[in-house]
Amino acid sequence: MTDAKPRYRTYTSPAGGWGAAAATAKVLMEQSVVTKGSRALLAMNQPGGFKCPSCAFPDAACTKKLEFCENGAKALAHEATKFRVTREFFAAHSASELMEQSDYWLEMQGRLTEPMRYDAATDHYVPVSWDDAFALIGRHLRALDSPHQAEFYTSGRTANETAFLYAIFVREFGTNNFPDCSNMCHEPTSRGLPPSIGIGKGTVVLDDFEHAEAIFLIGHNAGTNAPRMMTPLVEARKRGVPIVAVNPMPERALIKFTEPQDIVQMATFGSTEVTSEFVHIRIGGDLALIKGMMKVMFEREAAGEAIFDHDFIAGHTDGFAALQADIAAQDWAAIIQASGLDEAQIRRCAEIYIRSNATIICYGMGVTQHQQGSQLVQQIANLLLLKGNFGKPGAGISPIRGHSNVQGDRTVGIDERPSQTYLDKVREVFGFEPPRDHGHHTVESIEAMLDGRAKVFIGLGGNFVRAVPDTDRSYDAMRQLDLTVGIATKLNRGHLVHGKDALILPVIARSERIVTAAGEQFVTIEDSMSNVTASRGVLDPASEHLLPETEIVCRMAIATLPGSKVDWARYIDDYSLIRDKIAAVYPAIYAGFSERIKAPLGFHLDIPPRRRMWATPNGKANFLILPGLAVNAPVADPAMLRLATVRSHDQFNTTIYSYNDRYRGVYNDRMVLFMNGDDMADRGLAAGGKIALETFSDDGAVRRVEGLTIIDYPMSRGSVAGYYPELNPLLPLAFYDKTSGCPAAKAIPVRVLAVAAVD
Ligand SMILES: Nc1nc2c(c(=O)[nH]1)N[C@H]1C(S)=C(S)[C@@H](COP(=O)(O)OP(=O)(O)OC[C@H]3O[C@@H](n4cnc5c(=O)[nH]c(N)nc54)[C@H](O)[C@@H]3O)O[C@H]1N2
Ligand SMILES: Nc1nc2c(c(=O)[nH]1)N[C@H]1C(S)=C(S)[C@@H](COP(=O)(O)OP(=O)(O)OC[C@H]3O[C@@H](n4cnc5c(=O)[nH]c(N)nc54)[C@H](O)[C@@H]3O)O[C@H]1N2
Ligand SMILES: [Mo]
């Protein structure tokens, strides 16, 4: 690619500000939706409007402000785009030709407009009627020897009503095979926190940010991935609240940010220094940091100070003695080595934590996507428990979820390991016996495809093949299937790496109106802080041939389950009937759903730790121990670097909005490797040099990505970073957290291979 601008230049302005405003305008123009898009943005995250399809951060309760950010605007503009993928488009391009195109190119073609079926004879997708599409799905599913031969994926944009029915359909069909995007994301939260505090969700609400005395942000890039979060962070900072950011990359927005909605800051080119303490952690070093902070706390207690909340520990927790023994076993030299930090900084972090009477710890993929991601989340909970940071204003644990309804989907039944309580309720409410054995998570579903146990894949949203690890093997896995179904808004790689039969089923998007025989419908979503709100699209659907996702689920069920106990046809038209069933299956949290959702701001689902109630087997919050300081299998070779695969500022997961990553100073390129200058010097590498990366893996397979350009970047030592999904071929399928199934996408052990001359 040629370009007048240099490809890499340090971004020196604050994040946000005019850069964000300009980027918003640019994307609306690129998608040719300036008027339509601007109008829709006015309804985004407002009562009576629709929920932003981008991240899961909650909206500030009914401020008069616009509640969207630059990246929400990008998501909206790409959804509202004027470009269309039509039957003529598919006639002009074979599937193999489309496979040669980049993810960016596929995305830029626009919205899907009608159902398509793959025709193997011509290698083209051809139009198919909705009836024939559903009949084909029914035929394939009914022909299976066992329901466990089908995999039912969900991506977290799916609304509660759709996800709930999908879970019922699949269970009546007879399996718990629910690979979902959460399996690659915050599953360590969903699996790690229940034995610790009794619920796999965050305990913080937005108001808590106003009462916090310290905020830690571990392994999350808020300015890019949850930009609306910058508002409470900036406000807290202006109040003098210390903010500690722990990250191997000095993410721009965490350092300096201009609130695009703060008129004075915008006009004066002012900014806020968001982070008071930037902790330049080594990849996977968070465990050592947390244990180091606890070590300081135990030392101070031993010296006679009252550091811990002893009443809370005595009244509410179990396992304190074991934690004390574990922390005593760690020595400073090892802590410093594993974290890559100096002792003084760990002591400063401990001091900030000790002085604060109400601390929030937020975290993202930098914590969860490790081989012991679940246990790492538990160590964060341990740290909070020591000072009673649950059940009081301004305190708690705050996983920053990704997809806008990924948390909600799990709440309403997308779970390969469902609870017996839920299954009993499903039997009681719907009158069929659901399967009791565990199903497949994402990694297990690929293993099942690879060894021929799976035959059918249905993807309710998402872009499975690009999101999962081990790209080459995963492509092989998909291609062996008898049927793949992509229920989607946009053409993506998942439609081109397909089974023998394949369908693309286009849907009405979040920002668009759903009108059924019973009138206009709305759906609901649950954000990262457990608020359930209504979402009502305001735009006309991109094509008259689109169906709502809920109808697609119902009609797949009708076509597959002729003797069904569920009256699917009723749910196609009236979504309040679905909400009534959600209330019946989850009475403890969803009783009175249809009434409660009428409140303009929705309602909050009960989080027992907020009341210091612990739904664990012993009725206590538990200190859970992860011995040692390592969170990923060690590799002895000194050439090894840990690779984190991260998001750029211009992508939403596998959707690439542009090749730029403004805050990290990268333009027109995604095939880059961010590397510390000293690590480069050790290897005789220069900025701009072309390299290949190869994974250290022990299964004999070669995992290599070539053609990466080195960027001299202030990474922590031994840590490198590059972009997801381009680097997914390097991530072995077997490299995941065994508790949750979450791939360790932030800690791939790699070596630099071929070194070519600087271009
Ligand atoms: N615009 C936009 N918004 C999004 C998304 C998007 O792609 N684009 N994706 C959505 C989804 S599904 C999700 S899950 C979230 C993801 O949001 P984030 O959790 O922010 O995801 P990442 O960009 O993958 O990486 C997070 C950070 O972890 C750091 N990191 C890497 N390794 C380590 C480590 O070992 N320790 C620590 N402490 N930090 C580490 C990286 O440097 C990076 O800053 O965002 C959601 N929102
Ligand atoms: N190496 C590496 N791999 C990762 C990660 C990482 O950090 N590193 N992150 C992981 C994480 S956190 C996640 S959440 C997964 C994401 O995995 P997915 O959720 O599977 O991927 P997305 O890119 O969000 O899916 C994009 C597609 O969803 C479809 N879509 C968009 N809106 C809608 C809608 O309203 N309805 C329907 N039916 N379809 C829609 C569009 O066709 C679009 O192409 O990837 C994971 N993979
Ligand atoms: Mo995610």
Side-chain angles (χ1 to χ4, degrees):
M1 224 171 284
T2 52
D3 187 74
K5 282 193 263 179
R7 286 184 178 185
Y8 322 111
R9 53 174 194 265
T10 310
Y11 190 80
T12 48
S13 313
W18 289 106
T24 302
K26 181 165 172 275
V27 74
L28 290 171
M29 284 190 289
E30 268 170 9
Q31 299 299 320
S32 293
V33 286
V34 176
T35 316
K36 180 182 171 194
S38 311
R39 191 161 43 88
L41 283 173
L42 295 176
M44 189 146 102
N45 293 334
Q46 298 295 334
F50 64 97
K51 306 307 289 182
C52 177
S54 195
C55 78
F57 202 74
D59 346 310
C62 210
T63 54
K64 291 247 160 47
K65 284 206 258 176
L66 296 180
E67 262 299 327
F68 66 87
C69 66
E70 171 193 343
N71 281 345
K74 285 177 199 157
L76 186 267
H78 277 246
E79 196 168 282
T81 179
K82 83 158 208 231
F83 303 110
R84 296 288 179 270
V85 171
T86 58
R87 56 171 69 187
E88 291 76 24
F89 170 90
F90 284 112
H93 304 281
S94 70
S96 309
E97 261 172 67
L98 292 172
M99 186 65 193
E100 298 302 310
Q101 298 290 351
S102 66
D103 295 325
Y104 170 74
W105 188 91
L106 296 174
E107 166 65 22
M108 294 303 273
Q109 301 315 302
R111 288 285 298 279
L112 295 160
T113 48
E114 63 177 316
M116 304 297 292
R117 177 185 176 172
Y118 180 68
D119 175 19
T122 60
D123 187 36
H124 279 261
Y125 271 99
V126 295
V128 63
S129 71
W130 280 106
D131 283 345
D132 289 348
F134 292 123
L136 183 72
I137 294 172
R139 260 202 317 281
H140 271 281
L141 288 176
R142 279 185 275 112
L144 296 175
D145 299 329
S146 148
H148 305 306
Q149 289 176 324
E151 306 290 345
F152 295 89
Y153 180 67
T154 317
S155 170
R157 217 173 255 192
T158 304
N160 287 328
E161 289 73 7
T162 318
F164 174 78
L165 284 187
Y166 188 57
I168 299 299
F169 156 47
V170 172
R171 293 201 165 94
E172 190 178 22
F173 175 62
T175 184
N176 284 314
N177 284 349
F178 284 105
D180 87 307
C181 77
S182 175
N183 292 151
M184 299 177 263
C185 181
H186 264 291
E187 193 77 349
T189 300
S190 306
R191 300 285 174 213
L193 285 184
S196 168
I197 59 166
I199 189 167
K201 296 184 182 183
T203 66
V204 164
V205 296
L206 211 46
D207 273 356
D208 286 315
F209 282 83
E210 288 172 25
H211 301 107
E213 294 181 19
I215 298 171
F216 285 70
L217 192 56
I218 310 181
H220 186 262
N221 184 11
T224 287
N225 294 324
R228 283 178 295 116
M229 184 177 181
M230 294 313 294
T231 307
L233 289 178
V234 165
E235 277 165 10
R237 194 66 205 113
K238 285 180 184 161
R239 284 197 341 264
V241 173
I243 297 182
V244 181
V246 183
N247 204 306
M249 305 184 91
E251 304 289 20
R252 188 68 203 154
L254 301 178
I255 310 295
K256 231 179 212 207
F257 191 77
T258 302
E259 263 269 72
Q261 304 194 348
D262 180 333
I263 292 158
V264 176
Q265 249 189 14
M266 288 285 277
T268 58
F269 294 93
S271 64
T272 305
E273 287 184 13
V274 182
T275 297
S276 50
E277 183 79 36
F278 178 70
V279 182
H280 206 191
I281 198 87
R282 178 165 288 173
I283 287 180
D286 307 82
L287 179 63
L289 166 68
I290 292 167
K291 289 198 178 181
M293 288 170 64
M294 292 195 208
K295 197 168 177 65
V296 176
M297 295 169 76
F298 277 106
E299 279 171 13
R300 299 267 290 269
E301 275 276 329
E305 284 180 73
I307 300 292
F308 299 134
D309 185 337
H310 289 285
D311 289 346
F312 178 86
I313 292 170
H316 288 280
T317 72
D318 207 358
F320 179 77
L323 180 75
Q324 185 162 19
D326 176 60
I327 298 304
Q330 318 303 331
D331 67 65
W332 276 110
I335 289 173
I336 291 162
Q337 211 279 328
S339 63
L341 306 172
D342 57 34
E343 187 179 328
Q345 188 174 37
I346 299 177
R347 287 188 178 278
R348 272 202 309 280
C349 291
E351 191 61 40
I352 291 170
Y353 184 62
I354 287 168
R355 283 194 194 170
S356 158
N357 293 308
T359 302
I360 294 175
I361 304 186
C362 309
Y363 62 93
M365 297 298 98
V367 168
T368 60
Q369 292 177 334
H370 291 279
Q371 276 187 309
Q372 278 86 15
S374 301
Q375 284 94 336
L376 205 45
V377 171
Q378 292 168 353
Q379 309 313 301
I380 294 177
N382 287 350
L383 185 60
L384 289 166
L385 287 170
L386 285 174
K387 279 183 59 69
N389 274 313
F390 288 99
K392 63 183 180 189
I397 193 159
S398 183
I400 308 299
R401 300 255 178 185
H403 263 298
S404 48
N405 197 39
V406 62
Q407 183 165 316
D409 289 347
R410 284 198 56 103
T411 304
V412 299
I414 304 301
D415 190 346
E416 75 281 1
R417 288 182 252 169
S419 72
Q420 294 304 314
T421 320
Y422 163 78
L423 294 172
D424 290 345
K425 274 286 177 195
V426 168
R427 183 181 52 197
E428 182 190 314
V429 172
F430 288 101
F432 66 84
E433 182 59 56
R436 301 270 161 177
D437 38 352
H438 288 170
H440 297 153
H441 56 54
T442 291
V443 170
E444 289 164 341
S445 74
I446 300 166
E447 288 168 346
M449 292 176 202
L450 280 170
D451 59 27
R453 281 176 290 130
K455 306 273 186 211
V456 172
F457 171 87
I458 296 186
L460 180 52
N463 185 4
F464 184 81
V465 284
R466 280 309 262 166
V468 299
D470 241 343
T471 308
D472 299 343
R473 289 177 74 200
S474 299
Y475 281 13
D476 290 345
M478 288 302 267
R479 288 180 175 130
Q480 290 178 36
L481 298 175
D482 291 339
L483 172 70
T484 51
V485 179
I487 301 168
T489 50
K490 290 285 188 78
L491 181 62
N492 66 42
R493 186 79 49 206
H495 309 139
L496 307 172
V497 181
H498 54 78
K500 294 178 194 88
D501 256 328
L503 290 167
I504 303 175
L505 304 183
V507 299
I508 295 179
R510 178 77 62 75
S511 54
E512 295 168 345
R513 256 179 234 109
I514 298 176
V515 181
T516 68
E520 189 164 340
Q521 303 296 312
F522 67 89
V523 294
T524 60
I525 69 148
E526 175 188 341
D527 66 32
S528 212
M529 295 183 187
S530 306
N531 306 298
V532 178
T533 41
S535 177
R536 200 187 286 268
V538 296
L539 300 174
D540 289 334
S543 146
E544 58 181 333
H545 305 297
L546 306 182
L547 288 185
E549 288 173 320
T550 304
E551 177 169 347
I552 292 179
V553 170
C554 292
R555 290 177 65 180
M556 287 197 297
I558 292 168
T560 309
L561 308 168
S564 177
K565 295 266 197 314
V566 183
D567 189 356
W568 296 101
R570 294 176 70 212
Y571 302 123
I572 293 178
D573 293 330
D574 187 349
Y575 294 4
S576 67
L577 299 177
I578 311 172
R579 285 186 279 276
D580 291 345
K581 292 294 178 194
I582 295 177
V585 171
Y586 300 98
I589 50 170
Y590 267 119
F593 191 0
S594 288
E595 272 308 305
R596 285 156 82 200
I597 199 62
K598 288 181 184 156
L601 301 176
F603 58 94
H604 186 249
L605 294 179
D606 183 40
I607 301 292
R610 291 183 62 76
R611 295 179 277 114
R612 297 197 164 176
M613 300 292 291
W614 319 99
T616 53
N618 60 358
K620 302 262 184 181
N622 291 298
F623 289 104
L624 299 170
I625 311 305
L626 172 58
L629 298 172
V631 288
N632 293 289
V635 172
D637 196 317
M640 193 274 287
L641 294 162
R642 286 281 173 195
L643 167 71
T645 52
V646 298
R647 293 153 170 81
S648 78
H649 193 62
D650 267 5
Q651 76 182 83
F652 190 90
N653 298 337
T654 68
T655 300
I656 311 302
Y657 299 136
S658 93
Y659 287 86
N660 301 339
D661 190 2
R662 191 168 85 238
Y663 297 154
R664 297 194 187 110
V666 181
Y667 296 88
N668 288 316
D669 202 356
R670 288 181 53 87
M671 292 297 283
V672 298
L673 185 71
F674 298 94
M675 196 171 187
N676 178 296
D678 292 335
D679 284 326
M680 286 165 50
D682 284 356
R683 289 164 180 76
L685 302 171
K690 288 265 187 271
I691 54 136
L693 281 183
E694 192 173 281
T695 307
F696 286 93
S697 44
D698 47 20
D699 60 358
V702 176
R703 294 182 177 82
R704 187 182 299 163
V705 170
E706 296 181 355
L708 293 164
T709 301
I710 301 178
I711 296 187
D712 184 351
Y713 200 79
M715 298 294 302
S716 55
R717 279 304 298 273
S719 306
V720 289
Y723 295 123
Y724 140 67
E726 285 81 353
L727 296 185
N728 285 31
L730 294 170
L731 178 54
L733 201 52
F735 199 65
Y736 66 93
D737 170 26
K738 296 296 179 292
T739 307
S740 67
C742 183
K746 293 293 182 276
I748 311 174
V750 292
R751 76 179 128 222
V752 174
L753 261 195
V755 184
V758 178
D759 69 4

